[in-house]
């Protein structure tokens, strides 16, 4: 009878060790986002634009956090270029709105890029 208590004790120890073992957690990071080569070029152009800009938080923008949306018909109304407000013809519904950084605070930038040339059209100010 004394031998039978060893089996539950061994199982208890085994389950405890398995329960305490580190778990493998897979977190989808922004670098795992699948971007086309054109989108990658547009993101790189956006990063360069930010680096050369006068944005006050440009050094705190995490350029690994990337979100890309497609522009809408009225997007041009919110876009500014280096020379002022963008014209209606500057942005169309195929262009990309690239958000770089953590949008929960003020350390991010929203850049609009032409989907054909991958060049930066302008930026959307943070409100």
């Amino acid at each position: 009878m004394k031998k039978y208590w060893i089996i539950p004790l061994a199982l208890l120890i085994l389950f405890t060790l398995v329960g305490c073992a580190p778990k493998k957690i897979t977190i989808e990071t922004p670098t795992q986002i699948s971007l086309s080569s054109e989108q990658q070029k547009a993101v790189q152009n956006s990063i360069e634009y930010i680096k050369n800009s006068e944005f006050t938080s440009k050094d705190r923008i995490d350029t690994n956090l990337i979100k890309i949306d497609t522009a809408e018909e009225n997007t041009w109304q919110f876009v500014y270029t280096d020379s002022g407000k963008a014209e209606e013809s500057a942005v169309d519904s195929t262009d990309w709105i690239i958000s770089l950084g953590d949008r929960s605070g003020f350390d991010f930038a929203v850049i609009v890029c032409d989907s054909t040339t991958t060049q930066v059209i302008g930026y959307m100010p943070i409100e």
Side-chain angles (χ1 to χ4, degrees):
M1 287 298 237
K2 293 182 179 180
K3 294 180 184 177
Y4 294 113
W5 67 271
I6 293 175
I7 293 172
L9 181 62
L11 288 174
L12 179 64
I13 292 171
L14 179 65
F15 289 131
T16 302
L17 291 174
V18 170
C20 294
K23 307 279 189 251
K24 285 189 174 182
I25 299 174
T26 304
I27 299 172
E28 185 174 337
T29 60
T31 56
Q32 293 173 329
I33 294 173
S34 179
L35 299 176
S36 69
S37 61
E38 289 82 13
Q39 288 174 325
Q40 290 175 3
K41 289 177 190 175
V43 167
Q44 286 302 328
N45 290 337
S46 298
I47 292 170
E48 285 301 314
Y49 182 84
I50 292 168
K51 286 180 183 177
N52 296 325
S53 73
E54 295 182 11
F55 296 160
T56 56
S57 64
K58 69 180 177 182
D59 295 330
R60 295 187 305 268
I61 295 173
D62 184 353
T63 56
N64 292 315
L65 297 175
I66 303 165
K67 180 181 174 194
I68 298 179
D69 293 309
T70 305
E72 297 177 2
E73 286 182 34
N74 65 345
T75 299
W76 68 271
Q77 297 173 357
F78 309 102
V79 178
Y80 287 81
T81 65
D82 292 334
S83 59
K85 197 159 171 86
E87 295 180 17
E88 184 174 355
S89 61
V91 182
D92 62 45
S93 60
T94 64
D95 294 331
W96 296 312
I97 300 172
I98 301 174
S99 300
L100 297 164
D102 182 6
R103 294 185 57 104
S104 66
F106 291 99
D107 297 335
F108 71 95
V110 181
I111 308 298
V112 180
C113 287
D114 186 286
S115 60
T116 307
T117 65
T118 70
Q119 297 301 308
V120 172
I121 297 171
Y123 67 95
M124 297 175 77
I126 299 172
E127 295 181 358

